[in-house]
Every structure is written in C-alpha cells, then in structure tokens.
Amino acid sequence: MGINDESDIDANLQIGPTSVGMVRLYVEGGGVELPMDFEPEEAEEIAEELKAAAAQARSMAGKPGKKG
C-alpha cells in the first residue's frame, strides 16, 4: 500500500506528551495499537512536514486529473 492508495481501514490517532518528556503519536485501528514516541525536536520536524504536505494538498485540491 502506498501513500496514494485508498483504504477502508478506520483508525484513531491520538497525540500528546508522555510523562517522560516525549511526544507520542498513538495509532489504533484494525486490531493494531501502535505507540510511536519522539523527542520534542523530532515532533517539531514532523509537524513541519505535516504543514508542508497540507499546503501541497491544498494547492492541488480542485485541480482536475490530479491525485497527489
């Protein structure tokens, strides 16, 4: 499965700090629980990548024939 492949799998995402100063992304779905811990600096880099991807997706929205 790639980034542009559609899926019928439902998942939940939780994001928050841990008691030991990490940032946790917690994904749950399809019978899988996946906690991913990051140093705060890594989490900030991920946030920047998410913002950049959102900006690209926004610029492609509404353009006929574009699928990412």
Side-chain angles (χ1 to χ4, degrees), residues 38-59:
F38 300 93
E39 297 285 341
E41 294 78 15
E42 292 174 303
E44 289 171 339
E45 289 176 17
I46 293 168
E48 289 172 11
E49 290 180 31
L50 281 168
K51 286 184 175 186
Q56 286 182 307
R58 189 174 291 118
S59 72

Side-chain angles (χ1 to χ4, degrees), residues 9-65:
I9 298 172
D10 289 327
N12 294 311
L13 172 65
Q14 296 178 38
I15 303 169
T18 69
S19 61
V20 294
M22 301 289 280
V23 175
R24 177 166 290 172
L25 299 181
Y26 182 80
V27 181
E28 179 183 22
V32 175
E33 295 180 12
L34 182 61
M36 296 177 284
D37 292 347
F38 300 93
E39 297 285 341
E41 294 78 15
E42 292 174 303
E44 289 171 339
E45 289 176 17
I46 293 168
E48 289 172 11
E49 290 180 31
L50 281 168
K51 286 184 175 186
Q56 286 182 307
R58 189 174 291 118
S59 72
M60 293 187 315
K63 291 185 180 180

